[in-house]
């Protein structure tokens, strides 16, 4: 098979490369960031996603870098238990660890870092490297994330909108807090809705925390990193003491404020010799916890059809036909979870787990 270009080395681009590697299919990845520059914090990965990961990463190696969570415990903001549910093998892992594990199987000559790929504005469907040369590949697999510039250049009439939820995500290294939460996923909810604080353990002394804000009610998007801590301490001052204590003790150097976007309507997942995977094909809002699993599944299924089919159009069409209906379910579930989040707790009726299942 002729050469494949993969644009982006996030979870979807790197997992794609791992599956291609398994089938001895030639490829090259182009990635905008520096090799060591790993933004982002952590993921929840349901059992289905783990099964796709086991195909390309030794399970024991994975288990050394993350942990399975036992229970999801939902609290009111003052610490009253509202409910709990067993988590069936949901794995928590930092983004750095997962990216590093996926990158370890890729030989250095197959990946170019600090290379931003752009669409050629004069020739639709052609991709350029930063030195102005055109990428010469039979197939381009685009995994450049939810705000994909290449997707927008092909589907000019798409509508992306900001979601009414923003997230602050951070990691704290603190053994005492890590010991206290065991292997549970704990989430505090404001009684009036639109504000949560979640905590989960990534390792013996590392805890991931994230906070979800209704960005119409809270001015979170106007915060700079400099005043984020002060703003959060003010908002969370009357919450269960563990919450302000984590906010206070955290280092804000790597804190991330996430504005979430979604496509009003999904585009096709391909055009000519270009095919989209992961967030570039279908941004999913964080409530679903399905971004990584969907990225892995996209890569797995696209590889399967690349192996089975000779015809590119047939390959891409089978991939889209298999993947789109399931993605639409997660998009709808994500919207339901968002609607619930915005409601006062007393009016929330749906499944309390912060994960979308098919
Ligand atoms: C706040 C938040 C919390 C989340 N929590 C979870 C969770 O718990 N569980 C879960 O499964 N998912 C979660 N997700 C979703 C998950 O992060 C994504 O679905 C997943 O990372 C998708 O990976 P990706 O490779 O498609 O895109 P990305 O991770 O965005 O990777 C895109 C890559 O492409 C590179 N790139 C971009 N443009 C170019 C270019 N022009 N040329 C070359 N390279 C380029 C970027 O540098 C980047 O490395 C969360 C998302 C958010 C925002």
């Amino acid at each position: 098979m002729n050469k494949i270009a993969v644009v982006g080395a996030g979870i979807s681009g790197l997992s794609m490369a791992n599956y291609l590697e398994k089938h001895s299919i030639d490829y090259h990845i182009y990635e905008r960031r520096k090799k060591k520059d790993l933004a982002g914090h952590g993921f929840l990965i349901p059992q289905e996603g783990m099964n796709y990961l086991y195909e390309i990463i030794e399970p024991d190696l994975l288990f050394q870098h993350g942990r399975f969570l036992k229970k999801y415990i939902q609290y009111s903001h003052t610490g009253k238990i509202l409910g709990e549910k067993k988590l069936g093998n949901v794995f928590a892992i930092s983004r750095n660890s997962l990216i590093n594990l996926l990158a370890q199987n890729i030989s250095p000559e197959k990946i170019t870092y600090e290379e931003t790929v752009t669409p050629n504005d004069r020739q639709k469907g052609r991709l350029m490297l930063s030195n102005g040369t055109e990428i010469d590949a039979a197939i381009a697999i685009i995994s450049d994330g939810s705000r994909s510039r290449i997707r927008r250049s092909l589907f000019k009439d798409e509508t992306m909108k900001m979601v009414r939820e923003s997230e602050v995500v951070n990691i704290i290294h603190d053994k005492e807090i890590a010991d206290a939460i065991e292997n549970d996923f704990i989430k505090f909810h404001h009684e009036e809705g639109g504000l949560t604080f979640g905590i989960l353990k990534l390792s013996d002394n590392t805890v991931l925390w994230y906070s979800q804000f209704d960005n119409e009610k809270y001015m979170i998007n106007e915060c700079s990193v400099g005043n984020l801590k002060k703003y959060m301490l003010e908002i969370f001052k009357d919450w269960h003491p563990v919450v302000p204590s984590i906010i206070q003790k955290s280092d804000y150097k790597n804190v991330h404020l996430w504005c979430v976007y979604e496509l009003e309507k999904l585009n096709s997942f391909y055009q000519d010799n270009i095919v989209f995977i992961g967030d570039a094909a279908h941004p999913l809002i964080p409530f679903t916890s399905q971004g990584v699993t969907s990225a892995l599944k996209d890569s797995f299924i696209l590889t399967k059809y690349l192996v089975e089919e000779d015809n590119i159009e047939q390959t891409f069409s089978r991939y889209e036909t298999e993947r789109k209906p399931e993605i639409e379910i997660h998009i709808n579930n994500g919207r339901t979870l968002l609607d619930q989040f915005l409601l006062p707790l007393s009016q929330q009726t749906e499944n309390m787990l912060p994960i979308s299942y098919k």
Side-chain angles (χ1 to χ4, degrees):
M1 180 181 299
N2 288 327
K3 194 153 180 183
I4 292 179
V6 179
V7 180
I11 303 299
S12 44
L14 287 173
S15 60
M16 188 72 213
N18 276 266
Y19 290 122
L20 292 174
E21 194 75 47
K22 247 185 112 166
H23 290 277
S24 307
I25 299 175
D26 196 15
Y27 65 90
H28 192 88
I29 311 183
Y30 301 93
E31 165 56 52
R32 181 176 60 184
R33 69 176 156 82
K34 290 188 176 136
K35 187 174 181 196
K36 294 248 147 70
D37 201 0
L38 290 172
H41 292 88
F43 305 121
L44 291 178
I45 309 181
Q47 179 64 51
E48 190 187 17
M50 294 305 284
N51 294 340
Y52 287 101
L53 271 181
Y54 297 152
E55 297 268 335
I56 44 182
I57 304 176
E58 275 300 313
D60 286 345
L61 197 55
L62 266 173
F63 303 156
Q64 285 166 28
H65 288 84
R67 54 188 59 222
F68 285 101
L69 302 174
K70 277 197 301 217
K71 283 187 303 235
Y72 174 66
I73 313 180
Q74 191 185 37
Y75 290 92
S76 72
H77 74 276
T78 52
K80 194 170 99 200
I81 290 197
L82 301 171
E84 56 178 74
K85 268 197 179 175
K86 273 208 183 116
L87 282 169
N89 290 337
V90 172
F91 193 69
I93 186 165
S94 76
R95 180 176 154 96
N96 279 11
S97 298
L98 189 54
I99 294 269
N100 284 333
L101 288 172
L102 287 168
Q104 73 184 1
N105 300 328
I106 315 295
S107 59
E109 69 273 12
K110 290 196 171 179
I111 183 161
T112 309
Y113 288 97
E114 299 178 60
E115 180 59 82
T116 301
V117 175
T118 49
N120 183 342
D121 292 333
R122 287 193 298 268
Q123 245 187 315
K124 200 172 167 227
R126 296 305 195 135
L127 303 177
M128 314 273 292
L129 296 175
S130 49
N131 65 7
T133 55
E134 218 170 71
I135 290 188
D136 173 29
I139 291 175
I141 299 178
I142 310 302
S143 51
D144 58 348
S146 59
R147 304 187 73 193
S148 167
R149 187 166 158 194
I150 297 168
R151 187 191 68 227
R152 277 180 286 149
S153 80
L154 287 188
F155 302 104
K156 289 199 185 315
D157 57 353
E158 73 169 34
T159 314
M160 258 221 131
K161 58 179 185 96
M162 208 166 114
V163 173
R164 195 177 149 185
E165 184 249 356
S166 301
E167 293 203 10
V168 176
V169 192
N170 206 349
I171 279 181
I172 180 169
H173 301 284
D174 187 304
K175 181 136 184 14
E176 206 182 313
I177 297 174
D179 285 345
I181 63 170
E182 298 182 358
N183 283 333
D184 296 328
F185 174 12
I186 290 171
K187 201 162 168 194
F188 296 90
H189 296 247
H190 198 290
E191 261 108 6
E192 284 166 22
L195 189 64
T196 68
F197 194 91
I199 313 166
L200 51 100
K201 183 146 92 180
L202 296 175
S203 75
D204 286 346
N205 65 351
T206 314
V207 170
L208 173 94
W209 65 259
Y210 68 98
S211 184
Q212 298 169 315
F213 293 81
D214 171 351
N215 54 28
E216 288 186 8
K217 204 157 152 189
Y218 298 94
M219 297 299 105
I220 188 70
N221 291 351
E222 279 144 48
C223 279
S224 64
V225 170
N227 66 12
L228 195 56
K229 182 171 182 175
K230 189 162 164 265
Y231 181 72
M232 289 192 68
L233 282 172
E234 178 57 30
I235 298 280
F236 290 99
K237 67 175 185 287
D238 299 326
W239 286 47
H240 183 281
V242 75
V243 176
S245 131
I246 290 177
I247 296 171
Q248 177 65 43
K249 283 185 184 170
S250 297
D251 175 355
Y252 284 68
K253 257 204 321 262
N254 294 314
V255 70
H256 202 88
L257 168 60
W258 232 298
C259 297
V260 182
Y261 293 86
E262 67 169 0
L263 279 176
E264 213 150 72
K265 194 169 158 288
L266 288 176
N267 302 304
S268 172
F269 288 180
Y270 66 95
Q271 194 172 93
D272 303 325
N273 70 332
I274 294 184
V275 63
F276 295 86
I277 58 172
D279 282 8
H282 45 69
L284 288 174
I285 65 174
F287 287 107
T288 61
S289 300
Q290 285 287 352
V292 168
T293 301
S294 301
L296 290 163
K297 216 166 163 180
D298 287 354
S299 307
F300 179 87
I301 288 166
L302 180 57
T303 307
K304 182 175 93 172
Y305 292 134
L306 281 168
V307 171
E308 283 178 19
E309 285 282 348
D310 289 329
N311 178 291
I312 293 182
E313 154 72 22
Q314 274 295 103
T315 304
F316 292 172
S317 155
R318 286 179 78 186
Y319 155 70
E320 173 170 318
T321 306
E322 184 159 345
R323 294 298 295 135
K324 216 173 199 178
E326 188 179 311
I327 292 296
E328 273 163 350
I329 293 176
H330 291 314
I331 289 175
N332 287 332
N333 288 349
R335 288 179 180 151
T336 305
L337 289 165
L338 172 67
D339 290 343
Q340 294 289 305
F341 158 79
L342 296 171
L343 288 173
L345 275 180
S346 58
Q347 291 173 35
Q348 294 186 11
T349 51
E350 299 279 333
N351 162 32
M352 69 183 232
L353 274 185
I355 296 174
S356 149
Y357 289 108
K358 284 172 279 166

